[in-house]
Amino acid sequence: MGKSEYLRICALISSKLSGGSLAADLQFAAMRQMMQACDNPQDKVPAVHIAGTNGKGSTAAYVYSIAKSARLKTGLFTSPHLERFNERIVVDGVQISDNDFIRLANSLLALAEQSQLPLSGFALLAAMAFCYFVEQGCDLMIIETGLGGRWDATNVINRPLVSVITAIDYDHVKILGETLPEIALEKCGIIKPNCPVVALWQTAVVNELIQSQADHNNSLLRWCKRADIAVGECGLTGQRFSYANYPQLEIALLGDYQLTNAVSALLAVEAINQSGKLIITNDAICAGLAAARWLGRLEVFSLPGNTIIIDGAHNSQGARTLAEFVTANFPDKVALIFGSLRTKDTIQVIRQLSTIVDEVYTVSVDNSLALSAEQLQEMFLEINISANACASLEVALAAALLSKRTIVICGSLYLVGEARRLVLVGDRE
């Protein structure tokens, strides 16, 4: 198995990633058949299952870090990746090897062809993760949904130790629904009968929907409420806070919303303990929260003459929280480098960011679903913000650096990976 075979598999998976098409991404029935053919690996490792519009990746990272601190062999499945598909399937801090990636992909692709199951790229990756975590003898797996919940490929998990619902907002409205109750109903599809639920306390209409779905499933529901979190010292290097019986908690991730992500993870771990299947100490909870990292989410880099903020904000809620963070920590308006996909409500993201920008550089993301730099430029012009369409991220970054302003790079996680590589190279020079 060589590099060429790995690249072939990656290209095949990429071709099957639809960015939200009903036919390719919501294939629950086909995924269920695939798992049955594989002897249901998704039910052989205790699972934490996480859904939401924003915050699910960070919450997964917190639970994963806590489990590692408790010395549990832990698998983590997330999406999307920043640089390589292997990032999506991790056990104890180590990404799946290229050889295992190729082996599992080829095996499952052959099985899908034999059974005539048209799996999407995401479903294939989820199936690979479930099989890999069983092979590795994991004690626990943390599974992030891809799109929605009810019909998501990961929702083949029958009895998770706990289901977690993070912030819910408008995203993928053509598939999940055009109202918050419709979207919330899809996300709450991961709630299973008699399995505990942790959910973020948010808007009244969403809270009512979550409560009704928990009641319907006879699932014990614990709310994560921002009002219950007492914030201490906060800065660009981390945040300290207390919650309930945890007087001294610390996280390195930035942004006020990371406080509720961290507490949601903490409550999920308490639910794990209450299951009696695994035991995680308070010391492991504290250490795990402090050690958690999640690349590409409100990362702040200091370069000579410039501060660069890289964030994966790609929907209205994410852009709003990014703008709030920038406003709270940087008094002057920023230079924005922006790229987005046509599957996103890009104009609403732009509107949220418009209050913090002084200069804008648009770029085409390296993805088949990308909006062109020129299309994005027109979107900014529509709301009377001047923008420069750039031939590449390198060109945009070079121009933005000359401004000596704080630079924000966001709009798509596919842009974040490339941005981190460029900025880290510049940081070393």
Side-chain angles (χ1 to χ4, degrees):
M1 299 184 206
K3 184 177 181 180
S4 60
E5 177 64 1
Y6 173 79
L7 293 176
R8 184 189 72 81
I9 294 294
C10 289
L12 179 62
I13 293 174
S14 294
S15 72
K16 292 175 174 287
L17 290 173
S18 69
S21 108
L22 184 64
D25 281 326
L26 304 181
Q27 299 178 82
F28 181 75
M31 184 67 173
R32 176 71 77 189
Q33 291 180 61
M34 171 64 79
M35 292 295 92
Q36 289 172 347
C38 295
D39 196 26
N40 291 312
Q42 78 282 4
D43 292 324
K44 293 184 177 180
V45 178
V48 176
H49 200 191
I50 304 174
T53 305
N54 291 304
K56 58 183 184 290
S58 299
T59 303
Y62 284 124
V63 180
Y64 173 68
S65 183
I66 291 169
K68 283 175 57 187
S69 293
R71 300 187 182 280
L72 297 174
K73 191 166 190 178
T74 308
L76 176 66
F77 177 69
T78 57
S79 65
H81 58 277
L82 298 184
E83 296 185 36
R84 306 177 79 233
F85 277 112
N86 306 54
E87 297 169 26
R88 302 186 184 212
I89 304 173
V90 176
V91 173
D92 281 357
V94 180
Q95 297 173 16
I96 185 172
S97 69
D98 289 357
N99 283 345
D100 283 331
F101 188 92
I102 294 167
R103 174 181 56 82
L104 285 169
N106 278 330
S107 175
L108 291 167
L109 284 167
L111 182 58
E113 183 177 358
Q114 177 185 345
S115 305
Q116 296 185 322
L117 298 174
L119 293 184
S120 68
F122 178 79
L124 175 62
L125 289 163
M128 291 165 59
F130 290 137
C131 292
Y132 187 65
F133 296 155
V134 171
E135 288 181 357
Q136 293 294 305
C138 289
D139 301 306
L140 180 69
M141 61 182 181
I142 319 301
I143 306 295
E144 177 191 352
T145 60
L147 175 61
R150 180 168 55 150
W151 302 116
D152 190 78
T154 65
N155 205 30
V156 291
I157 300 170
N158 285 304
R159 286 191 58 80
L161 291 182
V162 58
S163 300
V164 183
I165 309 294
T166 65
I168 294 175
D169 201 18
Y170 295 97
D171 203 5
H172 298 291
V173 294
K174 292 182 179 179
I175 295 173
L176 301 180
E178 297 184 355
T179 69
L180 280 180
E182 289 176 311
I183 295 170
L185 183 62
E186 293 299 323
K187 306 288 185 183
C188 287
I190 70 167
I191 298 175
K192 300 295 168 53
N194 304 304
C195 296
V197 183
V198 170
L200 175 67
W201 181 266
Q202 40 199 300
T203 62
V205 65
V206 170
N207 292 344
E208 290 173 8
L209 195 285
I210 294 172
Q211 184 70 64
S212 69
Q213 290 303 300
D215 292 344
H216 176 74
N217 284 280
N218 193 35
S219 300
L220 177 65
L221 172 61
R222 292 192 67 184
W223 291 106
C224 170
K225 297 183 178 181
R226 176 61 179 84
D228 294 337
I229 302 171
V231 183
E233 182 181 351
C234 291
L236 295 180
T237 58
Q239 307 182 77
R240 293 180 179 176
F241 63 100
S242 61
Y243 174 78
N245 296 322
Y246 302 86
Q248 294 183 339
L249 295 171
E250 184 176 346
I251 55 175
L253 302 185
L254 306 180
D256 187 81
Y257 62 93
Q258 289 295 355
L259 299 171
T260 50
N261 290 341
V263 170
S264 293
L266 183 157
L267 292 174
V269 170
E270 289 190 343
I272 292 172
N273 284 338
Q274 289 164 6
S275 75
K277 294 184 179 180
L278 299 168
I279 298 298
I280 299 174
T281 66
N282 285 5
D283 286 346
I285 290 173
C286 295
L289 289 177
R293 299 294 184 271
W294 195 229
L295 303 183
R297 280 70 171 183
L298 276 184
E299 286 190 283
V300 179
F301 299 88
S302 295
L303 300 180
N306 295 92
T307 297
I308 300 179
I309 302 166
I310 297 178
D311 188 62
H314 56 272
N315 54 41
S316 180
Q317 186 182 59
R320 182 169 63 251
T321 56
L322 169 59
E324 291 170 353
F325 172 81
V326 171
T327 300
N329 291 279
F330 299 91
D332 299 324
K333 291 194 173 184
V334 304
L336 174 67
I337 299 176
F338 187 80
S340 185
L341 306 184
R342 63 174 179 267
T343 55
K344 302 299 179 181
D345 190 358
T346 302
I347 192 62
Q348 290 303 319
V349 174
I350 288 173
R351 290 185 187 280
Q352 294 291 345
L353 297 173
S354 64
T355 59
I356 63 170
V357 303
D358 190 55
E359 300 178 22
V360 177
Y361 303 89
T362 60
V363 297
S364 301
V365 177
D366 184 16
N367 187 283
S368 61
L369 298 171
L371 291 164
S372 71
E374 290 73 21
Q375 288 173 312
L376 293 170
Q377 180 186 41
E378 286 298 319
M379 290 183 178
F380 279 97
L381 291 175
E382 286 176 9
I383 59 171
N384 298 315
I385 295 178
S386 177
N388 305 284
C390 298
S392 67
L393 178 58
E394 291 93 334
V395 171
L397 183 58
L401 286 170
L402 293 175
S403 71
K404 299 300 180 181
R405 294 183 179 277
T406 296
I407 300 169
V408 172
I409 305 175
C410 72
S412 170
L413 281 167
Y414 292 101
L415 179 67
V416 163
E418 185 181 358
R420 293 188 83 258
R421 289 194 298 274
L422 288 176
V423 170
L424 288 171
V425 168
D427 194 30
R428 289 193 295 266
E429 291 177 348

